[in-house]
C-alpha cells in the first residue's frame, strides 16, 4: 500500500512539475478592477492617512475582472502552472485577486501581499481630486512619493521574484502606475492598462 501511495505521489509530483515547466515563464500583470475611487476620481493610496477612505470594486469592476480571469483560463493559464500571485495590499487589489480565486484561476494559498506593489503615495493629496498628470514637483509640494520612487520599488520587486521563482508563471495584481512601470521594465514599452485588464509578457 505504501508503495502504491508513493508511486501515485511520484506521478502527481511529476505532472505538477511538468505543468510548471510546460511553457516559457510568463508575467501576468493585472490592474485592479474599477473601484469607487476611479468613479470619484480621487487619490486613494495610504490607509495610514487620516483622509484615506476604503473603496471597493464596483459592479463593473467585478464583471471585468471575472472576464479577465476567464480569458486567462482560456489561454491555458491555471493553478497548475501559476507559481504565485503577488497582490498590492489595498482593498481593491485584494478583491481583484479574490475574484481570480473564485473563478478557479488560482488557489487562495498562492496569494501573497506585497507593499511594493501599492499605489503611488499621494501624500497630502490623499482623498482629494486627481490631477490629469502627476508632476515631479508634487512629491515635494505635497509630501508625496515621486514616480522615480515607484519605479525603484517595482524594480526591487521584479528582481526579487526572478531569484525566488525559477519555474512557473507569476501574476501581479497592482495599480495603474505600478503596472505600467512593471511592464515597461520588462518589455521597454509603455502600456497603460484599463481597470481590470491584464497584460501577459515574458517574465525574463
Amino acid at each position: 500500500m505504501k508503495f502504491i501511495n508513493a508511486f501515485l505521489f511520484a506521478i502527481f509530483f511529476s505532472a505538477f512539475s511538468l505543468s510548471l515547466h510546460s511553457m516559457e515563464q510568463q508575467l501576468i500583470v493585472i490592474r485592479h478592477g474599477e473601484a469607487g475611487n476611479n468613479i470619484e476620481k480621487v487619490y486613494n493610496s495610504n490607509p495610514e492617512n487620516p483622509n484615506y477612505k476604503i473603496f471597493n470594486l464596483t459592479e463593473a469592476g467585478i464583471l471585468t475582472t471575472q472576464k479577465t480571469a476567464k480569458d486567462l483560463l482560456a489561454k491555458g493559464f491555471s493553478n497548475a502552472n501559476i507559481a504565485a500571485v503577488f497582490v498590492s495590499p489595498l482593498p481593491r487589489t485584494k478583491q481583484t485577486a479574490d475574484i481570480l480565486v473564485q473563478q478557479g484561476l488560482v488557489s487562495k494559498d498562492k496569494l501573497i501581499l506585497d507593499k511594493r506593489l501599492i499605489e503611488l503615495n499621494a501624500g497630502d493629496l490623499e482623498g482629494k481630486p486627481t490631477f490629469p498628470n502627476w508632476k515631479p514637483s508634487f512629491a515635494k509640494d505635497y509630501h508625496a512619493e515621486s514616480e522615480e520612487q515607484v519605479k525603484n520599488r517595482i524594480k526591487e520587486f521584479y528582481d526579487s521574484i526572478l531569484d525566488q521563482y525559477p519555474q512557473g508563471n507569476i501574476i501581479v495584481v497592482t495599480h495603474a502606475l505600478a503596472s505600467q512601470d512593471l511592464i515597461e521594465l520588462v518589455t521597454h514599452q509603455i502600456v497603460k492598462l484599463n481597470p481590470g485588464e491584464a497584460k501577459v509578457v515574458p517574465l525574463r
Side-chain angles (χ1 to χ4, degrees), residues 67-87:
K67 182 181 183 303
T68 292
K70 291 174 182 176
D71 289 345
L72 290 170
L73 283 165
K75 291 178 180 177
F77 294 104
S78 70
N79 194 56
N81 57 46
I82 293 171
V85 183
F86 289 92
V87 187

Side-chain angles (χ1 to χ4, degrees), residues 109-128:
D109 62 291
K110 291 187 178 178
L111 304 187
I112 303 168
L113 297 182
D114 196 311
K115 290 183 177 180
R116 293 173 294 185
L117 299 174
I118 207 164
E119 180 65 279
L120 180 148
N121 191 322
D124 299 336
L125 292 173
E126 185 72 32
K128 296 181 179 179

Side-chain angles (χ1 to χ4, degrees), residues 7 16 29 54 57 66 72 117 152 159-160 192:
F7 179 71
F16 178 75
V29 184
I54 292 177
L57 295 186
Q66 289 174 339
L72 290 170
L117 299 174
N152 289 339
D159 290 342
S160 71
K192 296 183 179 182

